[in-house]
Amino acid sequence: DAMVIQNPRYQVTQFGKPVTLSCSQTLNHNVMYWYQQKSSQAPKLLFHYYDKDFNNEADTPDNFQSRRPNTSFCFLDIRSPGLGDAAMYLCATSTHSGGYNEQFFGPGTRLTVL
Amino acid sequence: SQQGEEDPQALSIQEGENATMNCSYKTSINNLQWYRQNSGRGLVHLILIRSNEREKHSGRLRVTLDTSKKSSSLLITASRAADTASYFCATDVAGSNYKLTFGKGTLLTVNP
């Protein structure tokens, strides 16, 4: 089945220790998104790629970086995680054809910062 | 500022009852979407309604859109315990560059 996969599902890191979260998709969608979601809150968009074009949200901290080496994969790098970065990180994809742009989400990675 | 605001924040009903959730937004949209999120999981797309549509159905779901009031509602009929989840509206704002803006969500609890 076509899907969005996130690894790992749970990630524990130490304060200040870099961490990378990964996302892959078999949907061949041209747009990929990274969201941060804290408990009982709405997903907050960090950045997205349209093909190779990177679009950063104005309020995304510099501590968060992303890479998209090819259509299928996208990575979220947190250079120096702080306690406030503990959250669920959601990857999503979409294609923009025919005016329909629903997003397909992965299961998320729960990040704990010790 | 938050584009979509859901109302109520939390809703608890009995199995078999209908559940209605509302969403208000502030700017012109291309479409409005509803998503469901089970606890600790990713979001699942439920239904999309375009700005020129007023009502849409999908199984037990009914969505309405009133662009003059900048509001939408999601009705789940004959609810089941398995419908327990958070429900988010998301707006595709005109000129938003492929982004959706999510509301804060409604936590629906369906008691067996």
Side-chain angles (χ1 to χ4, degrees):
Chain A
D1 288 341
M3 56 198 312
V4 181
I5 301 163
Q6 289 188 244
N7 285 305
R9 292 293 314 281
Y10 300 90
Q11 177 72 57
V12 180
T13 190
Q14 292 181 333
F15 184 93
K17 185 174 181 180
V19 66
T20 294
L21 310 182
S22 72
C23 177
S24 63
Q25 55 135 336
T26 60
L27 298 161
N28 204 33
H29 285 171
N30 51 356
V31 191
M32 293 188 77
Y33 308 81
W34 278 107
Y35 292 88
Q36 178 192 66
Q37 187 180 29
K38 296 189 176 180
S39 183
S40 301
Q41 294 185 18
K44 178 181 180 299
L45 182 64
L46 296 173
F47 22 61
H48 74 282
Y49 281 90
Y50 185 92
D51 292 328
K52 288 188 177 294
D53 292 335
F54 177 70
N55 298 272
N56 197 31
E57 292 302 295
D59 58 354
T60 297
D62 292 341
N63 198 25
F64 292 86
Q65 304 285 319
S66 185
R67 297 169 282 135
R68 188 179 186 186
N70 54 52
T71 300
S72 300
F73 286 87
C74 196
F75 299 98
L76 170 61
D77 301 308
I78 308 176
R79 293 192 296 188
S80 181
L83 298 179
D85 296 328
M88 175 76 89
Y89 290 88
L90 297 165
C91 174
T93 72
S94 72
T95 183
H96 290 255
S97 63
Y100 289 95
N101 60 344
E102 61 264 42
Q103 295 187 10
F104 295 79
F105 284 80
T109 295
R110 171 80 60 190
L111 178 67
T112 300
V113 182
L114 300 177
Chain B
S1 63
Q2 194 73 30
Q3 165 73 339
E5 296 281 346
E6 283 94 338
D7 164 49
Q9 290 188 336
L11 179 61
S12 181
I13 60 174
Q14 295 300 122
E15 218 168 15
E17 294 179 340
N18 295 342
T20 299
M21 290 160 268
N22 303 296
C23 171
S24 60
Y25 58 92
K26 295 175 183 170
T27 60
S28 296
I29 60 172
N30 296 319
N31 65 62
L32 185 144
Q33 304 176 28
W34 285 91
Y35 288 80
R36 165 196 168 126
Q37 184 179 34
N38 288 81
S39 180
R41 306 289 297 180
L43 281 73
V44 175
H45 179 261
L46 295 176
I47 198 164
L48 179 153
I49 186 165
R50 291 182 168 180
S51 60
N52 62 353
E53 297 176 312
R54 293 296 166 258
E55 187 170 314
K56 209 162 182 181
H57 296 255
S58 176
R60 292 184 296 113
L61 305 180
R62 173 178 169 254
V63 169
T64 62
L65 179 65
D66 186 335
T67 53
S68 67
K69 296 181 179 178
K70 291 187 169 56
S71 68
S72 173
S73 67
L74 171 67
L75 168 67
I76 304 174
T77 60
S79 63
R80 305 165 183 168
D83 294 330
T84 295
S86 290
Y87 292 82
F88 294 91
C89 70
T91 49
D92 175 11
V93 175
S96 66
N97 192 25
Y98 313 109
K99 299 188 296 187
L100 295 177
T101 304
F102 286 84
K104 295 179 181 178
T106 293
L107 175 60
L108 172 66
T109 302
V110 182
N111 301 299

